[in-house]
Amino acid sequence: MKRFFSEIKRYFVASDKIMILTALFCSAISCIMLYSIAANELIDKVDYGDFRTQLIATLLGLVTVVVLSVIDYNRIIKLWWLYGPVAVGLVLLTFTSLGYKRAGADDQAWLSIFGFQLQPSELLKLAFILSFSYHLARDEENMNKLPHMMLLCLHGAVPVGLVALQGDYGTAIVFAVIFMAELLTARISIKYVIAAIIAIPTACVLAWQFLLSDGHKNRFLVLIHPGTDPEGLEYQQDLSLASLAAGGIFGKGLLGEEGYVSVPEMHNDFIFTYVGQVWGLLGALLVLALLTFFCIKILTNSLVSKNAQGRYICVGAFAMYFAHCIMNIGMVLKVMPVIGVPLPFMSAGGTAMVCMYITIGLVNSTRCHNVRKYRVFYDAEPEN
């Protein structure tokens, strides 16, 4: 028993407590916002069930952080052959009769399993960060040889292609950002970087011509020519800006005030607008500061990782969170198109919340096992 408590104390000392507390603070803000939205009856489909789901998902996520942190990430990452196919298989199920579109979404990216709603692409993000980190670490010396680079690109193309076929282009971009961030962290040859810079504009043109629907194209066009969209696709973003402006500097308060601006999906992808409305500019800046600090903490953990695998896991996690923050807040501020990417730890969604905390657990594992004296529950050196 004495050994057990000694190891628990060692784990507590080794953990990145500030990173975890920052995430919990953001989740607490999310729960408060969802409770307020339900209490003020701002959206018909939002009730206290969303608040309860978010709270349960946060608590469950915290448990996963503790469990994953005490397991050596070098052992977890080698199980890619188990969780990788499962994640891909669940995404493939969305193309069958089991897949469906949620209300307000334009992508068939959800499953209903035993009464629970599940978004498989969130699990695929975790599987991709782990499997691609392992692939890069194992192939570091040969990655710049053309056959090896082609296999790495194929590895990255699979999740990007699958979620793009679902119609979830925002998540496809997140996968692409993770892929590029990890490759740039590795010793990639400059010739491949130059080739990518040349190829990306061509790929964008082809995607515009053959992949994007007229509705998706209009989401970009209204940013260049506001007020010219005949279908009113920018209406939601205009409401978002009005919601932020209504909050002023100090906000309208959480309960009891009149004249709230209701924004579609303000409990989900547009929750940042509600933060600005009830807590004003100061509250919005607080959330921005928390998310920025959180991303920086993950990136600093990559600098102290014991090996390449841990470093790539941290960089992949950073890229995922950073991409979500930039695209979501850019969408809310009407400087980026509406592409349905949730704000980390803030937007409603049990699957996304739990997966975000699982990622924290993996990052914290790289920190807890970066030196021998913090090898929690293990005495042997980790394998590369």
Side-chain angles (χ1 to χ4, degrees):
M1 184 62 69
K2 183 178 180 180
R3 169 69 183 276
F4 174 78
F5 285 109
S6 175
E7 296 291 356
I8 291 295
K9 180 181 178 181
R10 185 183 303 178
Y11 156 72
F12 181 79
V13 172
S15 293
D16 191 340
K17 295 174 285 295
I18 296 179
M19 176 185 69
I20 298 171
L21 287 174
T22 303
L24 287 173
F25 195 12
C26 290
S27 296
I29 293 175
S30 173
C31 291
I32 293 171
M33 294 299 109
L34 292 175
Y35 186 91
S36 176
I37 291 172
N40 290 311
E41 300 180 347
L42 294 177
I43 303 179
D44 292 337
K45 64 181 179 180
V46 176
D47 55 23
Y48 293 106
D50 293 272
F51 160 74
R52 289 190 292 268
T53 298
Q54 198 79 336
L55 182 60
I56 293 171
T58 299
L59 296 175
L60 182 59
L62 184 59
V63 172
T64 65
V65 170
V66 175
V67 173
L68 289 173
S69 296
V70 300
I71 301 174
D72 190 345
Y73 66 95
N74 292 286
R75 301 170 187 270
I76 298 173
I77 203 170
K78 289 183 178 180
L79 296 175
W80 65 268
W81 54 270
L82 179 61
Y83 50 73
V86 170
V88 171
L90 288 173
V91 172
L92 290 175
L93 284 177
T94 63
F95 296 100
T96 69
S97 59
L98 296 175
Y100 71 97
K101 295 182 181 180
R102 293 188 68 183
D106 55 5
D107 55 303
Q108 185 168 313
W110 291 83
L111 294 174
S112 181
I113 301 177
F114 302 116
F116 293 96
Q117 294 181 341
L118 175 68
Q119 189 175 13
S121 60
E122 296 294 334
L123 299 175
L124 188 59
K125 286 177 192 173
L126 297 171
F128 178 66
I129 290 174
L130 288 170
S131 62
F132 194 63
S133 297
Y134 185 65
H135 190 168
L136 267 180
R138 297 283 292 183
D139 214 21
E140 216 172 17
E141 294 183 0
N142 299 311
M143 61 174 290
N144 288 312
K145 296 177 182 178
L146 185 58
H148 294 265
M149 181 55 65
M150 291 178 66
L151 287 174
L152 287 169
C153 290
L154 178 62
H155 193 156
V158 169
V160 173
L162 281 176
V163 296
L165 287 174
Q166 287 180 325
D168 190 355
Y169 299 120
T171 301
I173 293 173
V174 173
F175 276 107
V177 172
I178 295 171
F179 170 74
M180 290 186 291
E182 291 200 33
L183 270 183
L184 290 174
T185 304
R187 298 169 184 153
I188 186 173
S189 172
I190 188 64
K191 64 183 179 182
Y192 293 117
V193 177
I194 295 173
I197 293 174
I198 296 173
I200 287 175
T202 303
C204 290
V205 171
L206 292 175
W208 183 269
Q209 291 293 330
F210 303 107
L211 183 61
L212 297 181
S213 65
D214 290 340
H216 286 107
K217 291 178 182 179
N218 285 335
R219 296 184 185 190
F220 288 90
L221 293 175
V222 295
L223 299 177
I224 303 172
H225 305 289
T228 60
D229 176 28
E231 299 180 10
L233 290 174
E234 62 180 323
Y235 174 68
Q236 189 174 14
Q237 288 180 298
D238 289 338
L239 282 178
S240 171
L241 294 177
S243 175
L244 287 170
I249 297 178
F250 300 105
K252 300 171 69 68
L254 289 169
L255 300 170
E257 292 285 343
E258 295 182 356
Y260 285 106
V261 178
S262 179
V263 182
E265 299 299 320
M266 69 188 305
H267 66 301
N268 195 359
D269 296 340
F270 281 80
I271 196 168
F272 187 71
T273 68
Y274 193 64
V275 173
Q277 186 169 179
V278 300
W279 284 347
L281 176 63
L282 296 180
L285 290 176
L286 171 64
V287 169
L288 282 175
L290 287 170
L291 292 173
T292 301
F293 178 74
F294 176 79
C295 289
I296 292 173
K297 283 294 293 177
I298 290 182
L299 200 58
T300 56
N301 279 325
S302 72
L303 301 177
V304 296
S305 295
K306 185 177 180 67
N307 55 20
Q309 293 177 167
R311 182 168 66 253
Y312 295 144
I313 288 174
C314 292
V315 169
F318 163 79
M320 180 186 73
Y321 289 119
F322 183 76
H324 271 262
C325 292
I326 292 295
M327 288 194 289
N328 181 276
I329 295 175
M331 171 183 69
V332 167
L333 297 178
K334 203 180 177 182
V335 296
M336 296 187 72
V338 177
I339 48 179
V341 174
L343 190 61
F345 307 109
M346 297 292 298
S347 297
T351 305
M353 181 69 81
V354 173
C355 288
M356 290 287 179
Y357 275 100
I358 290 175
T359 308
I360 292 179
L362 294 171
V363 171
N364 200 44
S365 177
T366 68
R367 182 182 178 94
C368 290
H369 300 86
N370 66 342
V371 291
R372 183 175 176 81
K373 68 177 182 178
Y374 291 152
R375 298 285 325 292
V376 183
F377 298 143
Y378 294 104
D379 292 325
E381 288 294 335
E383 299 178 13
N384 293 323

